[in-house]
Amino acid sequence: GAVVSQHPSWVICKSGTSVKIECRSLDFQATTMFWYRQFPKQSLMLMATSNEGSKATYEQGVEKDKFLINHASLTLSTLTVTSAHPEDSSFYICSVPTSGISRLEQYFGPGTRLTVT
Amino acid sequence: RKEVEQDPGPFNVPEGATVAFNCTYSNSASQSFFWYRQDCRKEPKLLMSVYSSGNEDGRFTAQLNRASQYISLLIRDSKLSDSATYLCASGTYKYIFGTGTRLKVLA
């Protein structure tokens, strides 16, 4: 599988500010990474697919101007939450898909817990 | 109907017990299925992929029933350390996750 890191692991910010979250694939060159969000006691919800060298594709209902994604290299994708509001407080997790036996297995980073006050 | 559904539990079982979870999926075109384990406030970790023929990894057995559109996870000889939330996922390239089934193994 892939070894994935995220930074920061947790962040507290004030409403209206922007927060950047980094996702790094440490041992695998990832042309694609996925960004998820998980609210307490809820499932992982896919937000967007990050594509190296091109624009991210966003899931329905996710504002691309609010959640900016940049995938500038094969090992790094960043998610910037712009003008954060308390309802953006959540657990943000990235994943790297790798080829398992005839299927793509996803390996997750440790997540970033965002609290907006 | 949700695309992927799981019984949220909790399933409280004694150490050494055998426990099984099911997960139903609605998209018959899904090609891949997985079980993940998620500990409290941590990221999901891949437990096992689910193959059409079924597969086993130690105390864990996963099966796929395409006709009825569900996957299952069987845990034998439960350990205290198995206490966690088990998420199923299905899809082809992008995966949909269930909300998870919470397992508590009691001493």
Side-chain angles (χ1 to χ4, degrees), chain A residues 38 43 59 104-106 109, chain B residues 36 38 43 49 94-95 98:
Chain A
Q38 186 177 36
S43 183
E59 296 301 301
L104 291 175
E105 297 173 340
Q106 291 191 30
Chain B
Y36 283 81
Q38 186 173 27
E43 78 277 20
S49 301
K94 294 189 293 188
Y95 299 142

Side-chain angles (χ1 to χ4, degrees), chain B residues 83-99:
Chain B
S83 298
T85 297
Y86 291 83
L87 306 173
C88 64
S90 76
T92 298
Y93 181 66
K94 294 189 293 188
Y95 299 142
I96 306 296
F97 285 81
T99 53

Side-chain angles (χ1 to χ4, degrees), chain B:
Chain B
R1 182 186 173 187
K2 290 181 182 177
E3 281 200 57
V4 178
E5 289 199 78
Q6 296 182 252
D7 181 340
F11 283 55
N12 297 324
V13 302
E15 262 188 299
T18 295
V19 62
F21 312 133
N22 280 346
C23 167
T24 59
Y25 62 95
S26 60
N27 186 352
S28 58
S30 295
Q31 296 293 314
S32 302
F33 306 90
F34 305 93
W35 283 103
Y36 283 81
R37 171 194 169 126
Q38 186 173 27
D39 292 291
C40 189
R41 300 178 70 83
K42 298 283 189 182
E43 78 277 20
K45 292 190 188 299
L46 181 63
L47 184 63
M48 54 201 307
S49 301
V50 186
Y51 304 129
S52 297
S53 55
N55 47 302
E56 188 175 310
D57 183 2
R59 298 182 292 110
F60 299 85
T61 301
Q63 292 197 311
L64 166 63
N65 185 317
R66 282 199 181 273
S68 300
Q69 293 186 200
Y70 74 86
I71 62 173
S72 63
L73 177 68
L74 181 80
I75 305 175
R76 288 181 297 278
D77 188 23
S78 300
K79 311 289 185 192
L80 293 175
S81 57
D82 293 333
S83 298
T85 297
Y86 291 83
L87 306 173
C88 64
S90 76
T92 298
Y93 181 66
K94 294 189 293 188
Y95 299 142
I96 306 296
F97 285 81
T99 53
T101 296
R102 195 167 169 208
L103 171 66
K104 291 184 181 178
V105 181
L106 308 171

Side-chain angles (χ1 to χ4, degrees), chain A residues 59-74:
Chain A
E59 296 301 301
Q60 192 173 12
V62 178
E63 299 173 57
K64 62 180 172 64
D65 295 328
K66 180 170 178 64
F67 298 99
L68 301 179
I69 291 172
N70 183 277
H71 193 150
S73 76
L74 290 172

